[in-house]
Amino acid sequence: MRILVTNDDGIFAPGLWILAKELKSVARVVVVAPDREQSATGTAITLRQPLRVQRVTPVVPDVDTYSVEGTPSDSVILALGKLTENGVDMVISGINRGSNLGDDVLLSGTVGAALQGYLRGLPAIAISIASADSHHLDNAAKLAALLAKKILAGTLPADLFLNVNLPDLPLAKIKGIKITQLAHKTHIDTVEEGHDGRREYYWLVRQKLGTNTDKDTDIWTLEQGNISITALHNTLFQKPPLGITDSLCSDLFQKLKQS
Ligand code: MN
């Protein structure tokens, strides 16, 4: 069994390597990730210039590791199409610094990378932690390993595309794991203008559109101190939830607390 690990924060992001290290207890791990920060590149792929790949020394031993001069989606397409000749069984993208919730999943490079695995028939998980400081990456890594184990054992069906977000809290302060829907119309990008002395410039600025109070949404659930799992195969592709049930969530949370 082999798991492809990628991200959009770049090949040396701490979240990527905590994830890779934990997943090594489940299966062989190969890391293929962008050579630099590629957050908010969504599903972008590079079609108008060549892609360069470099084998790099892994941060965690015994992990085949490649950095890609391209987007997260490029990395997964290259990994599955060229770099992993014996194939992989699953794609896990993250652990992202900062949450990927609501409509933002369409902008997220973390989710975009996982999508390329899903489109190629592989189970795919995007996993994020809701803080740029990310003090509790270990909870996310352990949860990813628990999910991966269930998928590889056949306890969960393989046709999954999950978006997982954790609050950046110690496990004792996390209430549980909930199945959620994507929140909608929560942010809007606006334009701020400035002048650098020679030319005008523009910044795109994210604006939050009020508080989300829909109780089954990912944003509300996370704000209440829960871990959110959204079945994107269900939400984006209108498939049944495929074994993502309330009892699975409480089972995962029990196991996470015991791990
Ligand atoms: Mn990112």
Side-chain angles (χ1 to χ4, degrees), residues 16 34 43 46-48 69 73 76-77 88 108 119 126 134 140 174 182 184 186 188 203 205 212 232 255 257:
L16 178 80
T43 56
T46 304
L47 296 177
R48 294 174 201 285
E69 220 175 289
S73 292
V76 174
I77 294 168
V88 302
S108 161
L119 293 178
S134 305
I174 297 178
L182 294 177
H184 294 300
T186 55
I188 194 94
W203 277 109
V205 181
N212 197 282
L232 293 181
K255 288 213 169 72
K257 285 201 282 192

PDB file of all heavy atoms in Angstrom, residues 16 34 43 46-48 69 73 76-77 88 108 119 126 134 140 174 182 184 186 188 203 205 212 232 255 257:
ATOM      1  N   LEU A  16       3.147  19.186   6.216  1.00  0.00           N
ATOM      2  CA  LEU A  16       3.373  18.109   5.235  1.00  0.00           C
ATOM      3  C   LEU A  16       4.157  16.972   5.881  1.00  0.00           C
ATOM      4  O   LEU A  16       3.830  15.795   5.706  1.00  0.00           O
ATOM      5  CB  LEU A  16       4.143  18.680   4.038  1.00  0.00           C
ATOM      6  CG  LEU A  16       4.513  17.693   2.937  1.00  0.00           C
ATOM      7  CD1 LEU A  16       3.315  17.434   2.042  1.00  0.00           C
ATOM      8  CD2 LEU A  16       5.669  18.216   2.095  1.00  0.00           C
ATOM      9  N   PRO A  34       4.634  21.037  -4.297  1.00  0.00           N
ATOM     10  CA  PRO A  34       5.216  22.228  -4.935  1.00  0.00           C
ATOM     11  C   PRO A  34       6.499  22.680  -4.237  1.00  0.00           C
ATOM     12  O   PRO A  34       6.628  22.530  -3.022  1.00  0.00           O
ATOM     13  CB  PRO A  34       4.119  23.288  -4.776  1.00  0.00           C
ATOM     14  CG  PRO A  34       2.861  22.536  -4.543  1.00  0.00           C
ATOM     15  CD  PRO A  34       3.258  21.276  -3.829  1.00  0.00           C
ATOM     16  N   THR A  43      -7.599  24.750  -8.400  1.00  0.00           N
ATOM     17  CA  THR A  43      -7.416  23.577  -9.264  1.00  0.00           C
ATOM     18  C   THR A  43      -6.487  23.885 -10.438  1.00  0.00           C
ATOM     19  O   THR A  43      -6.448  23.134 -11.420  1.00  0.00           O
ATOM     20  CB  THR A  43      -8.769  23.113  -9.827  1.00  0.00           C
ATOM     21  OG1 THR A  43      -9.364  24.230 -10.511  1.00  0.00           O
ATOM     22  CG2 THR A  43      -9.712  22.665  -8.728  1.00  0.00           C
ATOM     23  N   THR A  46      -0.661  23.680 -14.959  1.00  0.00           N
ATOM     24  CA  THR A  46       0.273  24.403 -15.824  1.00  0.00           C
ATOM     25  C   THR A  46       0.296  23.755 -17.203  1.00  0.00           C
ATOM     26  O   THR A  46       0.699  22.600 -17.333  1.00  0.00           O
ATOM     27  CB  THR A  46       1.690  24.370 -15.205  1.00  0.00           C
ATOM     28  OG1 THR A  46       1.592  24.920 -13.890  1.00  0.00           O
ATOM     29  CG2 THR A  46       2.678  25.173 -16.028  1.00  0.00           C
ATOM     30  N   LEU A  47      -0.165  24.485 -18.195  1.00  0.00           N
ATOM     31  CA  LEU A  47      -0.217  23.920 -19.550  1.00  0.00           C
ATOM     32  C   LEU A  47       0.686  24.658 -20.536  1.00  0.00           C
ATOM     33  O   LEU A  47       0.899  24.190 -21.636  1.00  0.00           O
ATOM     34  CB  LEU A  47      -1.660  23.965 -20.086  1.00  0.00           C
ATOM     35  CG  LEU A  47      -2.687  23.116 -19.332  1.00  0.00           C
ATOM     36  CD1 LEU A  47      -4.079  23.305 -19.919  1.00  0.00           C
ATOM     37  CD2 LEU A  47      -2.301  21.635 -19.378  1.00  0.00           C
ATOM     38  N   ARG A  48       1.193  25.822 -20.153  1.00  0.00           N
ATOM     39  CA  ARG A  48       1.926  26.640 -21.123  1.00  0.00           C
ATOM     40  C   ARG A  48       3.412  26.782 -20.836  1.00  0.00           C
ATOM     41  O   ARG A  48       4.082  27.636 -21.390  1.00  0.00           O
ATOM     42  CB  ARG A  48       1.288  28.023 -21.232  1.00  0.00           C
ATOM     43  CG  ARG A  48      -0.092  27.933 -21.832  1.00  0.00           C
ATOM     44  CD  ARG A  48      -0.845  29.235 -21.853  1.00  0.00           C
ATOM     45  NE  ARG A  48      -2.258  28.987 -21.976  1.00  0.00           N
ATOM     46  CZ  ARG A  48      -2.859  28.623 -23.091  1.00  0.00           C
ATOM     47  NH1 ARG A  48      -2.170  28.493 -24.196  1.00  0.00           N
ATOM     48  NH2 ARG A  48      -4.160  28.391 -23.110  1.00  0.00           N
ATOM     49  N   GLU A  69       8.138  22.283  -9.666  1.00  0.00           N
ATOM     50  CA  GLU A  69       8.045  23.714  -9.970  1.00  0.00           C
ATOM     51  C   GLU A  69       6.677  23.952 -10.602  1.00  0.00           C
ATOM     52  O   GLU A  69       6.568  24.167 -11.810  1.00  0.00           O
ATOM     53  CB  GLU A  69       9.143  24.065 -10.977  1.00  0.00           C
ATOM     54  CG  GLU A  69       9.835  25.381 -10.740  1.00  0.00           C
ATOM     55  CD  GLU A  69      10.989  25.561 -11.720  1.00  0.00           C
ATOM     56  OE1 GLU A  69      12.008  24.865 -11.587  1.00  0.00           O
ATOM     57  OE2 GLU A  69      10.819  26.377 -12.631  1.00  0.00           O
ATOM     58  N   SER A  73      -1.975  20.817  -7.993  1.00  0.00           N
ATOM     59  CA  SER A  73      -2.586  19.893  -8.966  1.00  0.00           C
ATOM     60  C   SER A  73      -1.533  19.318  -9.904  1.00  0.00           C
ATOM     61  O   SER A  73      -1.548  18.115 -10.200  1.00  0.00           O
ATOM     62  CB  SER A  73      -3.663  20.611  -9.787  1.00  0.00           C
ATOM     63  OG  SER A  73      -4.750  20.950  -8.970  1.00  0.00           O
ATOM     64  N   VAL A  76       0.265  16.429  -8.193  1.00  0.00           N
ATOM     65  CA  VAL A  76      -0.460  15.154  -8.121  1.00  0.00           C
ATOM     66  C   VAL A  76      -0.542  14.499  -9.499  1.00  0.00           C
ATOM     67  O   VAL A  76      -0.344  13.283  -9.638  1.00  0.00           O
ATOM     68  CB  VAL A  76      -1.865  15.365  -7.510  1.00  0.00           C
ATOM     69  CG1 VAL A  76      -2.685  14.079  -7.562  1.00  0.00           C
ATOM     70  CG2 VAL A  76      -1.736  15.845  -6.068  1.00  0.00           C
ATOM     71  N   ILE A  77      -0.793  15.297 -10.523  1.00  0.00           N
ATOM     72  CA  ILE A  77      -0.880  14.737 -11.882  1.00  0.00           C
ATOM     73  C   ILE A  77       0.461  14.109 -12.268  1.00  0.00           C
ATOM     74  O   ILE A  77       0.514  12.997 -12.801  1.00  0.00           O
ATOM     75  CB  ILE A  77      -1.301  15.830 -12.889  1.00  0.00           C
ATOM     76  CG1 ILE A  77      -2.731  16.295 -12.581  1.00  0.00           C
ATOM     77  CG2 ILE A  77      -1.208  15.315 -14.325  1.00  0.00           C
ATOM     78  CD1 ILE A  77      -3.159  17.554 -13.315  1.00  0.00           C
ATOM     79  N   VAL A  88      -0.279   4.403  -6.589  1.00  0.00           N
ATOM     80  CA  VAL A  88      -0.552   4.694  -5.187  1.00  0.00           C
ATOM     81  C   VAL A  88      -2.010   4.331  -4.913  1.00  0.00           C
ATOM     82  O   VAL A  88      -2.808   4.180  -5.843  1.00  0.00           O
ATOM     83  CB  VAL A  88      -0.273   6.174  -4.805  1.00  0.00           C
ATOM     84  CG1 VAL A  88       1.159   6.568  -5.083  1.00  0.00           C
ATOM     85  CG2 VAL A  88      -1.229   7.114  -5.480  1.00  0.00           C
ATOM     86  N   SER A 108      -8.955  26.587  -2.850  1.00  0.00           N
ATOM     87  CA  SER A 108      -7.883  25.972  -2.070  1.00  0.00           C
ATOM     88  C   SER A 108      -6.997  25.065  -2.913  1.00  0.00           C
ATOM     89  O   SER A 108      -7.486  24.130  -3.568  1.00  0.00           O
ATOM     90  CB  SER A 108      -8.517  25.149  -0.939  1.00  0.00           C
ATOM     91  OG  SER A 108      -7.587  24.217  -0.445  1.00  0.00           O
ATOM     92  N   LEU A 119     -10.332  12.406  -9.031  1.00  0.00           N
ATOM     93  CA  LEU A 119     -10.704  12.305 -10.452  1.00  0.00           C
ATOM     94  C   LEU A 119     -10.047  11.101 -11.124  1.00  0.00           C
ATOM     95  O   LEU A 119     -10.511  10.637 -12.154  1.00  0.00           O
ATOM     96  CB  LEU A 119     -10.317  13.587 -11.202  1.00  0.00           C
ATOM     97  CG  LEU A 119     -11.085  14.857 -10.808  1.00  0.00           C
ATOM     98  CD1 LEU A 119     -10.568  16.061 -11.586  1.00  0.00           C
ATOM     99  CD2 LEU A 119     -12.590  14.678 -11.027  1.00  0.00           C
ATOM    100  N   ALA A 126      -8.378  16.017   1.841  1.00  0.00           N
ATOM    101  CA  ALA A 126      -7.714  17.303   2.088  1.00  0.00           C
ATOM    102  C   ALA A 126      -7.857  17.581   3.574  1.00  0.00           C
ATOM    103  O   ALA A 126      -8.952  17.436   4.132  1.00  0.00           O
ATOM    104  CB  ALA A 126      -8.380  18.403   1.272  1.00  0.00           C
ATOM    105  N   SER A 134      -0.773  26.896  13.764  1.00  0.00           N
ATOM    106  CA  SER A 134      -0.861  25.427  13.737  1.00  0.00           C
ATOM    107  C   SER A 134      -0.075  24.750  14.855  1.00  0.00           C
ATOM    108  O   SER A 134       0.893  24.025  14.624  1.00  0.00           O
ATOM    109  CB  SER A 134      -0.379  24.895  12.375  1.00  0.00           C
ATOM    110  OG  SER A 134      -1.093  25.491  11.341  1.00  0.00           O
ATOM    111  N   ALA A 140      -4.287  16.420  13.674  1.00  0.00           N
ATOM    112  CA  ALA A 140      -4.674  16.272  12.261  1.00  0.00           C
ATOM    113  C   ALA A 140      -3.956  15.084  11.634  1.00  0.00           C
ATOM    114  O   ALA A 140      -4.569  14.289  10.892  1.00  0.00           O
ATOM    115  CB  ALA A 140      -4.362  17.552  11.499  1.00  0.00           C
ATOM    116  N   ILE A 174     -11.355  19.707  22.152  1.00  0.00           N
ATOM    117  CA  ILE A 174     -12.156  19.480  20.951  1.00  0.00           C
ATOM    118  C   ILE A 174     -13.378  18.645  21.336  1.00  0.00           C
ATOM    119  O   ILE A 174     -13.259  17.642  22.041  1.00  0.00           O
ATOM    120  CB  ILE A 174     -11.327  18.781  19.854  1.00  0.00           C
ATOM    121  CG1 ILE A 174     -10.173  19.690  19.417  1.00  0.00           C
ATOM    122  CG2 ILE A 174     -12.205  18.430  18.663  1.00  0.00           C
ATOM    123  CD1 ILE A 174      -9.254  19.091  18.380  1.00  0.00           C
ATOM    124  N   LEU A 182     -20.851  22.359   3.131  1.00  0.00           N
ATOM    125  CA  LEU A 182     -20.081  23.579   2.875  1.00  0.00           C
ATOM    126  C   LEU A 182     -20.954  24.806   3.142  1.00  0.00           C
ATOM    127  O   LEU A 182     -22.101  24.861   2.696  1.00  0.00           O
ATOM    128  CB  LEU A 182     -19.627  23.638   1.406  1.00  0.00           C
ATOM    129  CG  LEU A 182     -18.627  22.582   0.938  1.00  0.00           C
ATOM    130  CD1 LEU A 182     -18.364  22.754  -0.553  1.00  0.00           C
ATOM    131  CD2 LEU A 182     -17.330  22.659   1.724  1.00  0.00           C
ATOM    132  N   HIS A 184     -21.961  28.656   2.420  1.00  0.00           N
ATOM    133  CA  HIS A 184     -21.909  29.406   1.153  1.00  0.00           C
ATOM    134  C   HIS A 184     -21.945  30.906   1.402  1.00  0.00           C
ATOM    135  O   HIS A 184     -22.475  31.381   2.395  1.00  0.00           O
ATOM    136  CB  HIS A 184     -23.071  29.001   0.251  1.00  0.00           C
ATOM    137  CG  HIS A 184     -22.966  27.577  -0.203  1.00  0.00           C
ATOM    138  ND1 HIS A 184     -21.897  27.100  -0.927  1.00  0.00           N
ATOM    139  CD2 HIS A 184     -23.769  26.514   0.012  1.00  0.00           C
ATOM    140  CE1 HIS A 184     -22.058  25.817  -1.158  1.00  0.00           C
ATOM    141  NE2 HIS A 184     -23.188  25.430  -0.589  1.00  0.00           N
ATOM    142  N   THR A 186     -19.686  33.225   2.211  1.00  0.00           N
ATOM    143  CA  THR A 186     -19.154  33.632   3.504  1.00  0.00           C
ATOM    144  C   THR A 186     -18.060  34.684   3.369  1.00  0.00           C
ATOM    145  O   THR A 186     -17.774  35.406   4.305  1.00  0.00           O
ATOM    146  CB  THR A 186     -18.571  32.410   4.224  1.00  0.00           C
ATOM    147  OG1 THR A 186     -17.615  31.803   3.349  1.00  0.00           O
ATOM    148  CG2 THR A 186     -19.655  31.421   4.549  1.00  0.00           C
ATOM    149  N   ILE A 188     -15.993  37.505   0.433  1.00  0.00           N
ATOM    150  CA  ILE A 188     -15.948  38.102  -0.892  1.00  0.00           C
ATOM    151  C   ILE A 188     -14.568  38.749  -1.035  1.00  0.00           C
ATOM    152  O   ILE A 188     -14.005  39.234  -0.063  1.00  0.00           O
ATOM    153  CB  ILE A 188     -17.098  39.125  -1.092  1.00  0.00           C
ATOM    154  CG1 ILE A 188     -17.257  39.497  -2.558  1.00  0.00           C
ATOM    155  CG2 ILE A 188     -16.919  40.366  -0.241  1.00  0.00           C
ATOM    156  CD1 ILE A 188     -18.281  38.669  -3.254  1.00  0.00           C
ATOM    157  N   TRP A 203      -4.190  45.241  -4.141  1.00  0.00           N
ATOM    158  CA  TRP A 203      -4.213  44.015  -3.330  1.00  0.00           C
ATOM    159  C   TRP A 203      -5.632  43.463  -3.345  1.00  0.00           C
ATOM    160  O   TRP A 203      -6.589  44.213  -3.153  1.00  0.00           O
ATOM    161  CB  TRP A 203      -3.873  44.321  -1.872  1.00  0.00           C
ATOM    162  CG  TRP A 203      -2.418  44.415  -1.536  1.00  0.00           C
ATOM    163  CD1 TRP A 203      -1.721  45.544  -1.228  1.00  0.00           C
ATOM    164  CD2 TRP A 203      -1.486  43.331  -1.432  1.00  0.00           C
ATOM    165  NE1 TRP A 203      -0.418  45.237  -0.952  1.00  0.00           N
ATOM    166  CE2 TRP A 203      -0.239  43.881  -1.061  1.00  0.00           C
ATOM    167  CE3 TRP A 203      -1.583  41.937  -1.622  1.00  0.00           C
ATOM    168  CZ2 TRP A 203       0.900  43.095  -0.880  1.00  0.00           C
ATOM    169  CZ3 TRP A 203      -0.454  41.163  -1.435  1.00  0.00           C
ATOM    170  CH2 TRP A 203       0.777  41.745  -1.067  1.00  0.00           C
ATOM    171  N   VAL A 205      -8.273  41.601  -1.252  1.00  0.00           N
ATOM    172  CA  VAL A 205      -8.440  41.466   0.195  1.00  0.00           C
ATOM    173  C   VAL A 205      -9.694  40.646   0.481  1.00  0.00           C
ATOM    174  O   VAL A 205     -10.762  40.906  -0.075  1.00  0.00           O
ATOM    175  CB  VAL A 205      -8.576  42.856   0.867  1.00  0.00           C
ATOM    176  CG1 VAL A 205      -8.720  42.705   2.373  1.00  0.00           C
ATOM    177  CG2 VAL A 205      -7.369  43.713   0.536  1.00  0.00           C
ATOM    178  N   ASN A 212     -21.597  32.946  10.177  1.00  0.00           N
ATOM    179  CA  ASN A 212     -22.396  31.863   9.628  1.00  0.00           C
ATOM    180  C   ASN A 212     -23.117  31.145  10.757  1.00  0.00           C
ATOM    181  O   ASN A 212     -22.492  30.657  11.690  1.00  0.00           O
ATOM    182  CB  ASN A 212     -21.482  30.896   8.891  1.00  0.00           C
ATOM    183  CG  ASN A 212     -22.262  29.999   7.975  1.00  0.00           C
ATOM    184  OD1 ASN A 212     -22.873  29.045   8.432  1.00  0.00           O
ATOM    185  ND2 ASN A 212     -22.280  30.329   6.714  1.00  0.00           N
ATOM    186  N   LEU A 232     -16.952  15.763   0.219  1.00  0.00           N
ATOM    187  CA  LEU A 232     -17.017  16.541  -1.036  1.00  0.00           C
ATOM    188  C   LEU A 232     -17.503  15.683  -2.196  1.00  0.00           C
ATOM    189  O   LEU A 232     -18.087  16.199  -3.147  1.00  0.00           O
ATOM    190  CB  LEU A 232     -15.650  17.161  -1.365  1.00  0.00           C
ATOM    191  CG  LEU A 232     -15.152  18.250  -0.420  1.00  0.00           C
ATOM    192  CD1 LEU A 232     -13.806  18.789  -0.890  1.00  0.00           C
ATOM    193  CD2 LEU A 232     -16.154  19.395  -0.294  1.00  0.00           C
ATOM    194  N   LYS A 255     -11.089   6.880  19.005  1.00  0.00           N
ATOM    195  CA  LYS A 255      -9.768   6.350  18.677  1.00  0.00           C
ATOM    196  C   LYS A 255      -8.711   7.445  18.720  1.00  0.00           C
ATOM    197  O   LYS A 255      -7.582   7.219  19.154  1.00  0.00           O
ATOM    198  CB  LYS A 255      -9.803   5.716  17.282  1.00  0.00           C
ATOM    199  CG  LYS A 255     -10.575   4.407  17.235  1.00  0.00           C
ATOM    200  CD  LYS A 255      -9.956   3.466  16.207  1.00  0.00           C
ATOM    201  CE  LYS A 255     -10.507   2.058  16.312  1.00  0.00           C
ATOM    202  NZ  LYS A 255     -11.883   1.937  15.841  1.00  0.00           N
ATOM    203  N   LYS A 257      -8.721  10.020  20.627  1.00  0.00           N
ATOM    204  CA  LYS A 257      -8.424  10.338  22.023  1.00  0.00           C
ATOM    205  C   LYS A 257      -7.544   9.261  22.661  1.00  0.00           C
ATOM    206  O   LYS A 257      -6.767   9.536  23.562  1.00  0.00           O
ATOM    207  CB  LYS A 257      -9.723  10.497  22.824  1.00  0.00           C
ATOM    208  CG  LYS A 257     -10.397  11.839  22.506  1.00  0.00           C
ATOM    209  CD  LYS A 257     -11.363  12.268  23.582  1.00  0.00           C
ATOM    210  CE  LYS A 257     -12.676  11.519  23.465  1.00  0.00           C
ATOM    211  NZ  LYS A 257     -13.731  12.093  24.294  1.00  0.00           N
TER     212      LYS A 257
END
